[in-house]
Amino acid sequence: MSLTNIDTTTPPTDPNTALTTTSIPQQPTTTTTTPPTPTIASLPTTPYTPYSPPTISPRPLAILGAGNLGRRIACIFSAAGHTVHLHDPSPTALHSAQHYITENLPHYTTFPLISRPAGKIHPFNSTDITPAVSDAWLVIECVPEHLPTKIEVMGELDAKTPRDCILVSNSAAFRTSFMVEKVRRERRKLMCNMCFGAEPWIRSVELGVDEGVTETGVVKVLTWVLDDCGMMPVKSSRVGGGSSTGEGGLVRSQCLNTVN
């Protein structure tokens, strides 16, 4: 049999039966690297400094304003043996205050539970308050009830008193939190209201504090001192609210001591 008649050519491909191979392009291989878990850096913290009460003796306390309340407050502390610096730019007011003190101090010496010699009351009538407050452990402002004036006074006291000096206001109209515009932030925790009665036989003294601002140790120091003077301190805490006139907010009152 002759092989010459065999068709060796490739038969045509039937499009209906042929397998079509589609070339699928390969995706490039990528390596995914998981980033390391970030560590949370320690947040900067302000170190807590425990409150250190001021040294009271032999330092004086100062009272700004020798009016009806200022002179009575001077007698209360003097009767308990404290040295008092009584400042007023008016010579007339100081002269009137000295006359009142001379006539009435013996009555105040019956207030303390433990009798002791009265402390000296030194008058200051210069326009500069520095000599009266430069070494004070406590300053009580009794200036007129005018908020801008009190703001200026508190700012001046912040600059001219020792860093541990407690600054209080005898104002019944304005909280000290409205007087801090020119006071350093770290000093504001040493401020509160301390309101005395207008008449000497009224023993209650209101300590007005702002919760979360006034240092608890300040209240303890003032409570101890007032108790030693024969007074009856009452704490009032204002929580939130309030307006520039000192009104509003929740007031919580707590009697801290009683005096027979």
Side-chain angles (χ1 to χ4, degrees):
M1 181 177 179
S2 174
L3 299 179
T4 57
N5 295 325
I6 299 176
D7 186 2
T8 58
T9 61
T10 303
T13 303
D14 185 352
N16 296 323
T17 60
L19 295 178
T20 303
T21 302
T22 303
S23 177
I24 302 175
Q26 297 294 322
Q27 297 293 330
T29 303
T30 58
T31 303
T32 303
T33 304
T34 303
T37 303
T39 58
I40 301 176
S42 299
L43 296 176
T45 57
T46 302
Y48 171 72
T49 304
Y51 174 69
S52 179
T55 302
I56 296 178
S57 180
R59 293 165 64 183
L61 65 91
I63 300 171
L64 303 185
N68 290 335
L69 280 172
R71 64 188 66 175
R72 285 170 168 78
I73 296 172
C75 286
I76 290 171
F77 285 102
S78 171
H82 293 274
T83 299
V84 179
H85 289 180
L86 183 59
H87 177 275
D88 199 298
S90 169
T92 302
L94 273 180
H95 177 75
S96 176
Q98 288 176 304
H99 176 73
Y100 174 87
I101 292 168
T102 301
E103 294 291 327
N104 295 276
L105 183 58
H107 170 69
Y108 289 89
T109 58
T110 63
F111 285 13
L113 300 179
I114 301 176
S115 180
R116 71 207 73 177
K120 293 184 178 181
I121 301 177
H122 301 279
F124 291 81
N125 69 345
S126 63
T127 55
D128 183 10
I129 65 173
T130 303
V133 305
S134 61
D135 193 33
W137 71 269
L138 168 68
V139 178
I140 306 170
E141 72 83 7
C142 299
V143 301
E145 294 282 41
H146 181 243
L147 185 56
T149 300
K150 292 182 180 292
I151 291 174
E152 291 295 329
V153 168
M154 284 300 185
E156 189 175 2
L157 287 174
D158 181 39
K160 295 183 176 181
T161 55
R163 296 177 66 88
D164 63 346
C165 180
I166 300 172
L167 307 180
V168 305
S169 172
N170 187 59
S171 175
F174 303 107
R175 295 155 50 192
T176 51
S177 58
F178 296 120
M179 308 175 193
V180 299
E181 182 178 328
K182 299 185 178 181
V183 177
R184 290 168 295 176
R185 186 171 299 276
E186 63 271 17
R187 187 61 169 277
R188 298 176 186 180
K189 63 183 180 181
L190 304 184
M191 298 175 62
C192 69
N193 288 74
M194 187 160 68
C195 301
F196 290 79
E199 300 298 336
W201 56 82
I202 299 177
R203 302 283 192 95
S204 62
V205 180
E206 181 183 359
L207 294 176
V209 304
D210 285 299
E211 291 292 345
V213 179
T214 306
E215 177 68 51
T216 303
V218 169
V219 179
K220 292 181 178 179
V221 170
L222 296 179
T223 299
W224 181 85
V225 171
L226 290 169
D227 176 46
D228 186 57
C229 291
M231 307 305 287
M232 186 177 69
V234 178
K235 174 187 173 183
S236 65
S237 303
R238 191 174 295 274
V239 185
S243 64
S244 60
T245 61
E247 299 177 350
L250 174 63
V251 177
R252 298 173 180 167
S253 296
Q254 175 187 6
C255 182
L256 301 176
N257 198 4
T258 57
V259 178
N260 294 326

